[in-house]
Amino acid sequence: MNALISLLGAAIVTFCAAWFVVPVALWGLRMFGTYAIVQEGTCRVYVLFGKVLGVLREPGLHLLWPRLGPQAALVNWLGTCQVLDMRLDQQYLRSQPVNSEEGAPMGIGIWYEMYISDPVFYMFKNADPQGSLSANVGNATVRTLSNLPLGSMLEDRHAMSQAVRGDVSPKSVEWGYKLGSVYIRKVHFRDVGMIKQIEEKVVNRLRQVTSAITQDGVNQVSIISSTAERQASIEFGKANAMRPKIVGEALQKISSDPDVANTMFEILELGKIAESKARVTLVPAQGSELLAQLLAAQPKSA
């Protein structure tokens, strides 16, 4: 029983030591500058009595005394340790006012990225390096892109981006920043009246183009229709011209045989008589002349 109580007591003491004593001991070691842990994407700058003792940029565990000397024991008490974010940052400036060479009021939206390249310069060269860099990019945009031809301003954005980057980069290095990519994302008109005029011109031009396309289609259809009608008229004319020739040739062939010609004309005559629906009286071929006269003299029935 006593052994069990002793085991439980030892476990409780070990738990308390692991839960409270170890963190307190590590905190004490850090406060006396024994070691420091640098997180990924961060940087530690140690300053004592206005002097930079050291800069830790590599992530991981660092022993401070070999790097900073005995002053490492005092830097957390009498100095400062500034932790900087070294990751890439981005910013977008909207509608920077510029004027084209023709005098059109234009707005330019510019996007740029930057990161801290020199932590010491970043901390001591400028009180607000990020704000100063933003103002410098805006001023460089207005200064380098004003009085450009309107066509170049609307089309050649790559050259404009390179011009702004070349103007801003030297100054950003002095402030501990390194400028990354710079890109002109938007170029627009700032005058509302001018925008409406351009919209009206575009709409009118679209209407003209649409009307021209419609009229061209109608013309093409008319050309096709007239061509077909002309071809049909030609063919009908040829047919009408050939019909008398064909009929004449047929009649000539029929006339070469008198029996066939007489028979054909008799058939045609009988056909005409049948079509006229006239009253026909058949008289025997061997009948007397008197019978024919009597039949002809007989009055027609109503």
Side-chain angles (χ1 to χ4, degrees), residues 103-118:
M106 307 295 292
I108 292 179
I110 183 168
W111 170 89
Y112 63 95
E113 59 184 14
M114 71 284 189
Y115 60 91
I116 299 173
S117 60
D118 192 322

Side-chain angles (χ1 to χ4, degrees), residues 35-259:
Y35 76 96
I37 297 175
V38 179
Q39 301 295 330
E40 182 72 27
T42 62
C43 173
R44 286 175 171 265
V45 180
Y46 291 93
V47 181
L48 181 63
F49 303 132
K51 180 181 178 181
V52 178
L53 291 182
V55 179
L56 302 180
R57 304 186 62 168
E58 295 296 328
L61 179 64
H62 295 268
L63 298 178
L64 297 182
W65 285 30
R67 298 177 63 91
L68 307 181
Q71 297 171 332
L74 303 176
V75 71
N76 288 327
W77 301 94
L78 303 178
T80 59
C81 175
Q82 185 75 28
V83 180
L84 302 179
D85 190 351
M86 304 294 288
R87 293 175 295 180
L88 187 68
D89 194 8
Q90 301 172 349
Q91 194 164 359
Y92 180 63
L93 301 180
R94 299 179 182 275
S95 190
Q96 299 300 305
V98 298
N99 291 325
S100 67
E101 186 181 34
E102 296 81 1
M106 307 295 292
I108 292 179
I110 183 168
W111 170 89
Y112 63 95
E113 59 184 14
M114 71 284 189
Y115 60 91
I116 299 173
S117 60
D118 192 322
V120 178
F121 284 5
Y122 174 79
M123 290 178 59
F124 298 104
K125 288 289 185 178
N126 195 315
D128 184 12
Q130 188 172 8
S132 298
L133 180 62
S134 176
N136 196 15
V137 172
N139 294 334
T141 303
V142 176
R143 184 170 56 253
T144 58
L145 303 185
S146 292
N147 297 322
L148 288 177
L150 182 59
S152 301
M153 193 173 292
L154 293 175
E155 296 177 357
D156 196 4
R157 299 187 181 184
H158 179 69
M160 296 164 61
S161 303
Q162 294 298 319
V164 174
R165 190 176 188 279
D167 190 85
V168 176
S169 291
K171 199 65 179 178
S172 64
V173 173
E174 295 180 5
W175 297 336
Y177 264 125
K178 187 170 181 58
L179 199 62
S181 299
V182 177
Y183 180 61
I184 303 295
R185 292 185 61 184
K186 183 179 181 181
V187 179
H188 64 91
F189 293 96
R190 289 187 290 114
D191 191 336
V192 178
M194 182 178 294
I195 294 173
K196 291 183 178 179
Q197 290 179 359
I198 293 174
E199 289 178 350
E200 292 176 356
K201 290 183 179 179
V202 171
V203 172
N204 292 333
R205 182 58 180 163
L206 290 175
R207 288 175 178 170
Q208 293 175 358
V209 172
T210 304
S211 300
I213 293 173
T214 304
Q215 186 61 43
D216 184 68
V218 172
N219 294 338
Q220 294 293 330
V221 172
S222 298
I223 291 173
I224 295 172
S225 300
S226 60
T227 302
E229 291 175 355
R230 184 170 57 84
Q231 294 292 337
S233 299
I234 293 173
E235 296 300 328
F236 280 124
K238 290 181 179 178
N240 291 330
M242 292 180 65
R243 181 171 177 274
K245 180 183 177 182
I246 296 172
V247 173
E249 291 177 354
L251 291 175
Q252 184 180 3
K253 187 179 291 184
I254 293 172
S255 299
S256 61
D257 189 346
D259 295 336

Side-chain angles (χ1 to χ4, degrees), residues 256-274:
S256 61
D257 189 346
D259 295 336
V260 175
N262 293 331
T263 303
M264 183 194 71
F265 286 118
E266 288 179 0
I267 293 172
L268 291 175
E269 184 178 357
L270 291 175
K272 289 293 183 182
I273 293 172

